[in-house]
Amino acid sequence: MNRKYFGTDGIRGKANVFPMTVDMAMKVAMATALAFRDVSGDGECRRAVIGKDTRLSGYMLEQAMAAGFEAMGVDVIFVGPMPTPAVAVLTRSMRADIGVMISASHNHYEDNGIKLFGADGFKLSDELEQKIESYIDASDLTLPPPEDLGKASRLDDAQGRYIEYLKRSVPRQSNLSGLKVVVDCAHGAAYKIAPQVLWELEAEVITIGAQPNGRNINEGFGATNTKALQERVVAEGADVGIALDGDADRLIMVDEKGEVVNGDQLLALIGGYMQDKGWLKNKVVVATSMSNLGLERHLAAQGIELIRTPVGDRYVVEEMRSNDYNLGGEQSGHIILSDFGTTGDGMLAALQVLAILKDKGEKASTVLNLFKPLPQLLKNVRFSGETPLVREAVVEAIKRAEEQLANDGRLVVRPSGTESLIRVMAEGDDPKKVEDIVDGLCALIEQEASA
């Protein structure tokens, strides 16, 4: 299903450059209001919640979207800098029809994006995004009369509501006392919330990456830049480190030795713990095609099946909803716990991991490293024009490579959802074979792309 503006996670681009312009943001809001009215039971769309991260362009896009919604008769509730999962929670809490998060996630401040949620707190279906796109491109829209314009207000206790939601995910009789935690907020949306909720749960908290200035989000800090966190955990003698990204929907952790723990290891830990407690529905964990084969083997040894989806947390969530699974995620750190939330939530996942650490009473390096990942190599090939993946030579080469890895590895070749890139990933027991396969495919794809 081809979409013109929406990628795998909303609409994204460079700020003040199409499609991340004021004009486009207003059109998206107006089109979203119309599309939601089309699919609602009563033909109404009355209320939208708008959150943002800390990047400079969020202010202009926030106001533009508010103007678009108000022009279509939709009331707007501003919640300010807020994690993406918090917007999903608040959309449901406020009985809103639409949730909007203005963020480009782990990208630098020059980029921005628009993520949309429905009244149920879930990201939109492909079909609804296509309907919105059709209204964006419409030549004229019918506007309501002056007396039906929407109005704007600000929710002053938005952060407190989300903090209480997070705390409720931890058993009431439990706390995090005795744990020394370094939290890296990436100068992003959770810069106030993350330290506060940890403090309220009685952890000893050391905070870094919590001085946003509009231009430093994800710069040298956060889930994609863990060096500062690794160094601080070791220097402080902390038990564990938490790294969030700019909109706090993903989580990467660091053990007491300063070693990075990715989403696959977190899924292994949470999945095994839930299985032991009898909480894991259908004995299934959902992940994407990028999760390491070592995770799959580790879970299988515990009687847990790993089901894979295309890359993107939205596809993980769709699989979970369709088949009543309650744990899924991505290697990159999106962890979805559907017993509590509707989307990836870095702080929600972090609290579950910390509660397990406290319960087990063991070092993070023991608890958070449950399997040895297979050698995995990922390389990107940039292209322009038609994708080279349709070329016969590339198709045949991929088939041969898959046959080479059939018994002891995996191959994933896919186009990026946000850039003109082909991503080539292979993993297997033999690192030399993995390297040769990836290098050979990349060379062929590059050759075909320039032919």
Side-chain angles (χ1 to χ4, degrees):
M1 183 177 293
N2 293 323
R3 289 170 294 174
K4 186 175 181 181
Y5 303 117
F6 285 90
T8 56
D9 196 15
I11 302 172
R12 190 174 295 188
K14 195 165 292 297
N16 236 17
V17 177
F18 186 84
M20 280 296 104
T21 60
V22 167
D23 179 59
M24 181 63 170
M26 187 166 64
K27 286 181 179 179
V28 170
M30 297 172 78
T32 300
L34 287 171
F36 270 62
R37 282 175 180 153
D38 284 349
V39 300
S40 71
D42 57 6
E44 295 289 337
C45 179
R46 304 176 183 87
R47 185 178 292 176
V49 170
I50 301 181
K52 62 185 178 183
D53 63 24
T54 56
R55 63 194 77 220
L56 187 63
S57 57
Y59 294 88
M60 82 176 181
L61 295 173
E62 173 190 57
Q63 296 300 319
M65 293 204 72
F69 281 128
E70 291 162 25
M72 299 307 296
V74 178
D75 292 340
V76 170
I77 302 167
F78 294 116
V79 298
M82 192 67 58
T84 289
V87 171
V89 169
L90 292 168
T91 299
R92 290 189 296 168
S93 172
M94 297 299 297
R95 307 297 195 272
D97 302 283
I98 304 166
V100 178
M101 179 63 183
I102 299 170
S103 174
S105 191
H106 59 281
N107 291 22
H108 287 173
Y109 88 94
E110 294 93 344
D111 295 332
N112 217 327
I114 298 169
K115 304 181 185 184
L116 299 173
F117 295 92
D120 56 4
F122 287 98
K123 292 179 180 178
L124 308 188
S125 66
D126 290 343
E127 291 76 18
L128 187 49
E129 287 182 346
Q130 280 201 312
K131 183 177 283 288
I132 292 170
E133 289 189 346
S134 71
Y135 280 121
I136 291 173
D137 290 334
S139 57
D140 62 333
L141 300 174
T142 301
L143 301 176
E147 62 270 21
D148 291 335
L149 293 176
K151 60 183 179 180
S153 61
R154 188 167 298 278
L155 183 62
D156 293 330
D157 65 341
Q159 291 189 2
R161 290 187 184 212
Y162 180 56
I163 287 172
E164 287 303 310
Y165 157 82
L166 290 173
K167 287 164 60 181
R168 285 196 298 273
S169 74
V170 178
R172 190 168 184 83
Q173 67 274 18
S174 302
N175 60 43
L176 303 179
S177 63
L179 288 179
K180 188 175 185 179
V181 182
V182 182
V183 58
D184 178 355
C185 304
H187 299 306
Y191 77 103
K192 289 184 178 179
I193 287 170
Q196 182 68 23
V197 71
L198 291 169
W199 178 82
E200 291 189 21
L201 288 169
E202 301 185 46
E204 181 181 348
V205 188
I206 299 160
T207 306
I208 64 174
Q211 296 83 39
N213 61 17
R215 294 181 171 87
N216 62 355
I217 188 169
N218 301 309
E219 187 68 42
F221 289 88
T224 55
N225 299 277
T226 59
K227 183 179 179 181
L229 177 62
Q230 292 171 266
E231 293 175 349
R232 192 65 179 272
V233 167
V234 173
E236 296 283 353
D239 296 296
V240 69
I242 295 169
L244 306 170
D245 65 338
D247 68 335
D249 67 349
R250 69 167 71 182
L251 166 71
I252 297 294
M253 299 191 77
V254 170
D255 67 25
E256 83 282 358
K257 297 178 180 179
E259 297 297 320
V260 173
V261 180
N262 68 17
D264 282 350
Q265 294 285 1
L266 299 179
L267 285 174
L269 173 65
I270 299 171
Y273 191 81
M274 290 175 66
Q275 172 86 325
D276 290 344
K277 295 289 186 180
W279 301 337
L280 187 66
K281 292 183 178 179
N282 301 306
K283 297 183 179 180
V284 164
V285 172
V286 182
T288 75
S289 58
M290 300 303 288
S291 277
N292 196 276
L293 185 57
L295 170 64
E296 186 171 343
R297 292 175 176 177
H298 172 80
L299 292 175
Q302 300 177 75
I304 301 171
E305 181 183 2
L306 183 73
I307 293 178
R308 296 181 184 271
T309 73
V311 173
D313 66 318
R314 63 182 290 155
Y315 301 114
V316 174
V317 172
E318 286 174 7
E319 179 69 25
M320 293 171 66
R321 294 181 74 187
S322 298
N323 296 286
D324 194 29
Y325 305 136
N326 60 346
L327 176 63
E330 295 187 282
Q331 188 181 77
S332 60
H334 291 112
I335 308 293
I336 300 102
L337 294 137
S338 63
D339 290 337
F340 304 108
T342 59
T343 188
D345 190 326
M347 274 310 299
L348 179 66
L351 293 182
Q352 310 316 302
V353 173
L354 293 176
I356 295 171
L357 275 176
K358 177 94 183 276
D359 184 37
K360 290 182 175 293
E362 299 174 4
K363 296 286 189 181
S365 55
T366 301
V367 176
L368 300 181
N369 295 282
L370 296 178
F371 67 89
K372 184 177 181 180
L374 270 68
Q376 189 179 77
L377 182 61
L378 170 66
K379 291 189 176 181
N380 299 319
V381 180
R382 189 168 294 278
F383 70 95
S384 58
E386 182 187 42
T387 173
L389 292 183
V390 300
R391 303 287 180 86
E392 184 177 351
V394 175
V395 172
E396 289 298 319
I398 291 173
K399 183 178 179 181
R400 289 194 301 271
E402 288 174 335
E403 291 171 351
Q404 284 182 270
L405 286 168
N407 297 320
D408 59 0
R410 291 191 314 122
L411 174 69
V412 179
V413 182
R414 66 178 184 89
S416 166
T418 57
E419 301 176 81
S420 296
L421 295 174
I422 301 298
R423 304 195 189 280
V424 181
M425 187 281 287
E427 62 182 358
D429 296 306
D430 184 346
K432 181 65 167 60
K433 181 190 289 187
V434 166
E435 183 177 5
D436 289 345
I437 286 174
V438 171
D439 287 346
L441 283 174
C442 285
L444 177 61
I445 291 170
E446 190 170 355
Q447 176 184 320
E448 292 292 321
S450 58

